[in-house]
Amino acid sequence: MWALAAAVLYGTGAALQQRQAAAVPGQAAGRPRLLLLLVQRPWWLLGIGVELSGFAAHAIALRTGPLTIVQMLVASSLLFSVVTVRLWSGRRLSWTAWAAVLAVIGGIASFVALAPPASGDAGVPGVPGHAGLAAACLAACAVPLAAAGLAATGRRRAVLLAVAAGLADAGIAVVTMVFSHVVSGGLAGLAGSWATYALMLGGPCSLLLTQTAYQAGRPMITLPVIAVVTPVASLAAGNLLLGETARLGVLSGVFAALAVLVMSAGLVVLARLTTRPPGPVRGTPASSWPRDAALAGSPKW
């Protein structure tokens, strides 16, 4: 329940932020100045507020459930981005879009049913070392991809930055999982935990990276890639480093893999159908938007 609440809030917040971030000049990409420009936009601030609420729900979900399952459920946030965009545009979902929605829901539900993880020690406050290693590995993978993305252009830039942002999101999820356990220890527990400082440092860095990916101006690439990479990276971290080994036989493993593929395909189709912006936000050059806008004529955000 908390994971789905987080998905609703994350998806709505992302829909607000992506449109605003794409309107910021490219010279601010990857720099703190990008966030300084975005805080001047009321709709972006609203999106951040909604995502902070999602973060709270996400933290509760990670405290009560395994990382792998929580992250797979939170991956459905793109569905709610789609619904938000459609409500604002006043246009109905096509049959293809509805099929993609059902594919995502079916894929997530099937994975949860087929791959319940065995109990691990990642979420136990007394054993934070494994979680720290997992977060560090995810961050180490994200940094070179982010650097390569900033040096690239066009589609390659969007893909690299989105993959880096997805890895960073997964790393922050691991840190949040530990933080959600130590917060019950009061101020002394918070001050003595590495997760508190990792969250203070990594949270803004992850936010900046995500906004830079959004700024690439290719939402049909960045949104689905982030939505898919985050749970897949979390699944890998959970199984390889956090002891959340899924109880899978050969047949159930095959079906679980198919469920992940179906979910990923549905997310990609939804993004390609419904996350193309209607046109430039006021003050943004028209050339920064795709020519084949799917929501032409919809109201400004």
Side-chain angles (χ1 to χ4, degrees), residues 95-119:
W95 286 108
T96 303
W98 276 116
V101 169
L102 294 176
V104 172
I105 294 174
I108 292 174
S110 298
F111 182 87
V112 171
L114 290 167
S119 298

Side-chain angles (χ1 to χ4, degrees), residues 148-170:
L150 289 172
T153 59
R155 181 181 294 269
R156 180 180 174 84
R157 177 186 180 89
V159 171
L160 288 172
L161 288 174
V163 172
L167 291 171
D169 283 350

Side-chain angles (χ1 to χ4, degrees), residues 213-227:
Y214 288 162
Q215 192 189 27
R218 295 174 181 264
M220 71 287 293
I221 295 176
T222 55
L223 286 173
V225 169
I226 291 173

Side-chain angles (χ1 to χ4, degrees), residues 72 78-79 96-97 99-105 107-108 220 224-225 227-229 232 257-273:
M72 291 297 290
L78 186 59
L79 295 176
T96 303
V101 169
L102 294 176
V104 172
I105 294 174
I108 292 174
M220 71 287 293
V225 169
V228 170
V229 168
V232 170
L258 287 175
V260 172
L261 291 176
V262 168
M263 182 199 72
S264 301
L267 287 170
V268 170
V269 170
L270 277 174
R272 298 184 71 88
L273 284 173

Side-chain angles (χ1 to χ4, degrees), residues 35 41 110 134-135 144 176 183 272:
L35 298 181
R41 297 174 174 268
S110 298
T176 301
V183 72
R272 298 184 71 88

Side-chain angles (χ1 to χ4, degrees), residues 24-107:
V24 176
Q27 294 84 346
R31 301 177 180 178
R33 179 169 174 262
L34 173 60
L35 298 181
L36 294 177
L37 292 173
L38 287 172
V39 297
Q40 301 174 36
R41 297 174 174 268
W43 283 110
W44 186 84
L45 289 175
L46 177 61
I48 287 294
V50 172
E51 279 214 340
L52 286 175
S53 299
F55 174 80
H58 194 184
I60 296 173
L62 287 168
R63 180 177 174 81
T64 58
L67 175 71
T68 302
I69 299 301
V70 169
Q71 291 300 94
M72 291 297 290
L73 291 173
V74 170
S76 64
S77 61
L78 186 59
L79 295 176
F80 302 103
S81 292
V82 167
V83 171
T84 302
V85 169
R86 282 307 193 187
L87 287 175
W88 287 335
S89 70
R91 300 182 63 177
R92 297 180 179 178
L93 285 171
S94 66
W95 286 108
T96 303
W98 276 116
V101 169
L102 294 176
V104 172
I105 294 174

